[in-house]
Amino acid sequence: MRNCKTWRPDVMSSYPLQGLLIEFDEVKRNLKNLESEREREKTTAEMFFERLQASQDEVKALRRASERNAFVLVLIDGDCMNFLDDLMKKLEAGGEETAERLRTAIRKYIQEHLSDIRADAEPLVRIFANIRGLAKTLVDAKILDSPEDLGRFVCGFNKKFTSFDFIDAGNGKECSDAKLKKSFELFIRNAHCKHIIFGGSADNGYARLLDSYTGDPSSSKMITMLEGPPFAHELAPIAEKFKQCEYRSRQHPRDQQRHQDQRARQLPATPLLQLQPKLNLRVNP
């Protein structure tokens, strides 16, 4: 009898089926891995979304806090920008009236020309001056009777509002300049400071400081140049790159003479013009 193998169709067909099962198992594993990876990505996305939401909420809270504590800073060089003789002669009462007028003018300027700032933003006023030298100048010009009279005016100005300060910068030629510049540099980076009104129009010494901010749109839009006496020749072209406002002012013949006398005696500079603390937009938008 011839020896031959029995044909078994189940065995012969199992080879391709086994291959399919192996492939199927591999597909299942890959699918499971993909599902696991998808779950991890979903968890990661949810985690980052929660963090983003928390960060956005934190930013909103900081903005609200910043708006609540927002202020407009007014820096004035008191050696070159003074107030009306009539106000200074009223001594303490004149100081209070000056502070009241200045605060009203600043708030009006904010409402009319700084629309991106809350109308109730607090004005923070810092006036730096060589009190001793300024008092002597005012007495010599017959505006005040004694050096102590300026102290009374300053006292009235300071006590009217807690955010208003008329500060004695010291008896030195550059003391007021140095303090004004340092205050500017500190507050321009303060998140609560929304705008700076800078009053030092008669002093070329501020040109380099301000010129460094003309190329920075985020900073330059925060600055308004306050003109009392005409802008000094080095400062004038720089001032044109910022918003500008001015005191309404009037000039008397004696003001011209007083300015010339001060220069001849090399006393602290006082303004050629007598200045009313009333702000109005001048030229630039």
Side-chain angles (χ1 to χ4, degrees), residues 116-131:
D116 57 331
I117 299 175
R118 287 174 49 171
D120 61 348
E122 183 66 23
L124 182 65
V125 177
R126 295 288 181 269
I127 302 176
F128 296 99
N130 174 358
I131 297 291

Side-chain angles (χ1 to χ4, degrees), residues 136-201:
K136 184 179 185 306
T137 299
L138 295 171
V139 170
D140 290 346
K142 308 299 183 185
I143 295 170
L144 299 179
D145 295 329
S146 70
E148 291 75 20
D149 287 346
L150 179 58
R152 294 172 189 168
F153 174 86
V154 169
C155 179
F157 183 91
N158 286 340
K159 80 176 187 178
K160 183 63 177 178
F161 302 112
T162 55
S163 59
F164 279 44
D165 292 306
F166 199 126
I167 301 166
D168 187 355
N171 189 27
K173 185 178 179 182
E174 303 296 334
C175 289
S176 297
D177 299 37
K179 290 186 179 294
L180 205 70
K181 290 174 182 177
K182 189 62 177 180
S183 294
F184 180 90
E185 291 171 343
L186 288 173
F187 281 104
I188 194 74
R189 297 190 294 268
N190 188 310
H192 300 293
C193 181
K194 302 304 179 182
H195 203 80
I196 297 178
I197 298 174
F198 190 90
S201 59

Side-chain angles (χ1 to χ4, degrees), residues 79-107:
D79 289 337
C80 68
M81 297 181 72
N82 298 146
F83 299 103
L84 286 168
D85 292 354
D86 291 343
L87 289 173
M88 303 191 81
K89 287 177 179 179
K90 292 180 182 179
L91 306 182
E92 188 169 331
E96 292 187 35
E97 184 180 345
T98 297
E100 182 69 53
R101 289 194 195 182
L102 187 57
R103 188 170 188 255
T104 299
I106 294 167
R107 285 194 159 176

